[in-house]
Amino acid sequence: MAGSEEEKTVFDMEAASALVKELRDTCASGKTRSYEWRVTQLKCLVKLCDENEKEIADALRQDLSKPEFESIVYEIAMLKNSCRVALKELKHWIVPEKANTPLAVFPASAGILSEPLGVVLIISAWNYPFLLSLDPLVGAIAAGNAMVLKPSEIAPATSSLLAKLVMKYLDNSSIRVIEGSVAETSALLEQKWDKIFYTGNGRVARIVMTAAAKHLTPVLLELGGKSPVVIDAGINIQVATRRIIAGKWGCNNGQACISPDYIITTKDYASKLVDTLKIELERFYGKNPLESKGLSRIVNSNHFARLTKLLDEDKVSGKIVYGGERDKENLKIAPTILLDVPLDSLIMNEEIFGPLLPIILVNKIEESFDLINAGSKPLAAYLFTNNKKLKEHFVMSVSAGGIVINDTTVHLAVHTLPFGGVGESGMGAYHGKFSFDAFSHKKAVLYRGFAGDVAIRYPPYTPGKLRIMKALIVSGKRNIIRAVLGWGKV
């Protein structure tokens, strides 16, 4: 049984191979291809959420001290919405797309058929352990695949619950959960998959890609990076800071891949920004944020130590203008703002993934674009401004997985937009139909009859045949007429 203590101890290479074979047999039967199977499984996912909301929220609280509001809104409700979109649109997604055909193959018709890739592996992350496990599953189910889900062992309560709930609600002949750590993940990565979907960091992503390369397995990588926030003068600073706080500390206390990583603003505007951030942070989390029930804790002692190291570096230790308090026993760090942080500091050279927010100062706001582009391409980039030309320049010149103007993180909820990275922040995208496409193969199909067969495509080749064939391939009507009549050079 997936997730049981017995399976955890015996899941090795042999067990992984047997599991993949079992799932391939299910795929070969055609079971997962049917529209009815896909709809049934998506409805079962919704039922899983509806009937276990409290249990899911409790598991997230155990793993991250995640506030119930964040658990329900940002994990459970968002998953249900993904299912709702897929259930509503699936009948349209699976219809073959019509394709135009050139004169060279006349008479003919053509289409593009979305077919399931086969058996896929989904390796999820710990920061949103429920959503990031099951949201990719929605796309894999909608596309008609069989799959294995490997939840993160760093969120053990949610991992255990996922194993139990998937077994109870979904089709176990097609969908399985394997719990465990490095050994189990390694055994899974040794197998031949039709796609691997990994959410996490760049270090592990390289391991995943190396393993996938052995079998030429395509991968979709959802990573992260240092997502910048550029703040121009002349904006509604209160609204801007509230939206920054919501995206930074209101998203798992900064432990989110699209969380604002650092701010860039002008020297002239910095004091106003910092003062407003202080006011709004105190309004949201009180005078002692370590006691606030609205903030998640740091996931474990290793990440707490990593964040503490960033704070205690000599280059930044005197730059703290707000917060900095920490509670090692309860793994809590207060929202922390650092002003005028050196670019060569540790905090500016790795993804923070926590409640620390450095502010970089520039003379002119346009200097921020070059600063951003000098580093790795981020998963998200944010700009607050009322300047139309600045918005256009930002969108055209800054390369990021996604861009939001005058807000943070909310693009995640727009299912009509692809969600994914570029460069170091990932490859591929999902959400809405993009999830369906991520787990589908676009198969080209051309239909021809036996009429219209002409001698010009067959030997013996002649100059006249060559002229006509060149004109047909170029598909210009005037060229074809000239070629047939032997006029001029085609």
Side-chain angles (χ1 to χ4, degrees):
M1 302 276 281
S4 68
E5 289 300 322
E6 181 180 357
E7 183 168 344
K8 286 180 186 177
T9 59
V10 300
F11 192 82
D12 53 14
M13 212 77 69
E14 184 178 347
S17 178
L19 174 60
V20 174
K21 183 182 183 305
E22 177 186 332
L23 293 173
R24 290 206 181 281
D25 289 343
T26 300
C27 267
S29 74
K31 179 180 185 180
T32 64
R33 286 177 173 261
S34 77
Y35 174 78
E36 292 74 19
W37 180 88
R38 305 183 203 196
V39 168
T40 298
Q41 297 309 302
L42 291 170
K43 287 180 176 178
C44 285
L45 266 180
V46 175
K47 186 178 180 182
L48 181 157
C49 294
D50 288 339
E51 294 182 353
N52 299 278
E53 184 178 279
K54 184 181 183 303
E55 198 172 358
I56 296 164
D58 286 345
L60 293 168
R61 187 179 301 109
Q62 289 180 55
D63 287 330
L64 290 149
S65 293
K66 187 169 288 197
E68 184 181 41
F69 180 94
E70 291 185 30
S71 296
I72 293 174
V73 173
Y74 300 144
E75 300 222 33
I76 301 171
M78 286 192 68
L79 177 67
K80 287 172 65 176
N81 186 58
S82 291
C83 293
R84 179 192 64 80
V85 171
L87 285 165
K88 180 183 177 182
E89 301 294 338
L90 184 58
K91 58 182 176 292
H92 305 298
W93 295 347
I94 62 177
V95 174
E97 303 170 43
K98 290 183 179 179
N100 294 327
T101 56
L103 197 56
V105 296
F106 179 84
S109 62
I112 303 168
L113 178 66
S114 295
E115 68 173 7
L117 290 171
V119 182
V120 302
L121 172 64
I122 297 168
I123 305 174
S124 68
W126 55 262
N127 56 328
Y128 286 82
F130 183 77
L131 177 68
L132 296 182
S133 293
L134 297 184
D135 205 19
L137 212 72
V138 172
I141 290 171
N145 297 277
M147 65 215 72
V148 171
L149 167 63
K150 168 59 183 68
S152 174
E153 70 278 8
I154 298 177
T158 307
S159 175
S160 177
L161 180 62
L162 282 167
K164 183 180 79 170
L165 295 181
V166 167
M167 181 181 295
K168 179 180 177 181
Y169 286 88
L170 301 181
D171 174 18
N172 295 160
S173 71
S174 312
I175 306 169
R176 298 287 296 276
V177 175
I178 297 298
E179 290 192 88
S181 187
V182 175
E184 290 78 9
T185 305
S186 298
L188 289 169
L189 286 174
E190 283 296 318
Q191 310 309 310
K192 177 176 173 53
W193 304 92
D194 296 301
K195 189 155 194 175
I196 298 175
F197 187 116
Y198 169 74
T199 304
N201 61 61
R203 179 184 62 81
V204 178
R206 287 170 170 82
I207 296 171
V208 171
M209 286 195 73
T210 300
K214 296 176 185 177
H215 302 291
L216 294 181
T217 300
V219 297
L220 194 158
L221 303 177
E222 286 297 335
L223 308 177
K226 297 186 73 63
S227 297
V229 183
V230 177
I231 302 182
D232 191 19
I235 60 172
N236 186 324
I237 189 64
Q238 183 184 33
V239 172
T241 53
R242 290 166 72 90
R243 291 176 178 179
I244 291 166
I245 292 168
K248 177 67 172 181
W249 296 283
C251 286
N252 211 28
N253 205 5
Q255 298 170 109
C257 57
I258 53 172
S259 172
D261 191 274
Y262 65 100
I263 288 175
I264 306 176
T265 194
T266 60
K267 295 174 182 177
D268 294 338
Y269 201 66
S271 59
K272 184 175 183 179
L273 170 64
V274 171
D275 289 343
T276 312
L277 278 168
K278 289 178 180 179
I279 292 168
E280 296 302 321
L281 278 167
E282 187 170 319
R283 181 174 291 150
F284 287 0
Y285 303 117
K287 292 184 180 295
N288 188 355
L290 292 180
E291 296 179 357
S292 172
K293 294 182 179 179
L295 285 169
S296 300
R297 65 169 169 80
I298 307 307
V299 66
N300 59 28
S301 57
N302 289 336
H303 281 275
F304 185 91
R306 178 184 61 80
L307 290 165
T308 299
K309 181 180 178 182
L310 297 182
L311 267 183
D312 291 342
E313 186 190 12
D314 290 341
K315 291 179 181 178
V316 302
S317 59
K319 302 289 186 178
I320 298 173
V321 293
Y322 181 85
E325 301 88 0
R326 62 197 81 169
D327 179 350
K328 186 176 181 179
E329 183 178 349
N330 293 304
L331 298 177
K332 287 202 167 186
I333 299 176
T336 302
I337 302 170
L338 304 96
L339 183 63
D340 195 18
V341 174
L343 293 176
D344 62 350
S345 59
L346 288 175
I347 202 169
M348 285 306 300
N349 283 277
E350 64 177 70
E351 185 179 7
I352 295 170
F353 222 72
L356 319 180
L357 185 61
I359 299 176
I360 305 300
L361 302 180
V362 292
N363 293 314
K364 294 182 178 180
I365 204 66
E366 289 80 6
E367 297 173 22
S368 61
F369 300 176
D370 290 336
L371 262 177
I372 295 167
N373 289 330
S376 297
K377 297 177 180 179
L379 185 56
Y382 308 112
L383 169 67
F384 288 84
T385 186
N386 288 318
N387 186 317
K388 183 181 178 181
K389 288 187 177 180
L390 195 67
K391 293 176 189 177
E392 293 172 350
H393 185 33
F394 188 79
V395 169
M396 293 303 296
S397 65
V398 172
S399 183
I403 283 177
V404 181
I405 306 296
N406 293 331
D407 210 331
T408 66
T409 70
V410 291
H411 61 303
L412 181 74
V414 183
H415 71 82
T416 52
L417 290 175
F419 182 81
V422 58
E424 293 272 325
S425 59
M427 61 178 69
Y430 72 125
H431 287 181
K433 187 174 185 294
F434 301 100
S435 290
F436 174 83
D437 291 340
F439 290 102
S440 299
H441 166 58
K442 300 296 185 183
K443 182 163 64 178
V445 182
L446 180 71
Y447 299 92
R448 297 199 76 204
F450 293 99
D453 198 52
V454 292
I456 58 171
R457 67 181 286 194
Y458 305 120
Y461 302 129
T462 66
K465 287 182 178 181
L466 178 59
R467 282 198 305 271
I468 295 172
M469 285 301 292
K470 284 171 66 178
L472 282 170
I473 292 170
V474 174
S475 295
K477 289 183 180 179
R478 184 175 296 178
N479 282 349
I480 294 168
I481 293 170
R482 286 179 174 176
V484 171
L485 298 178
W487 292 350
K489 182 179 180 182
V490 178

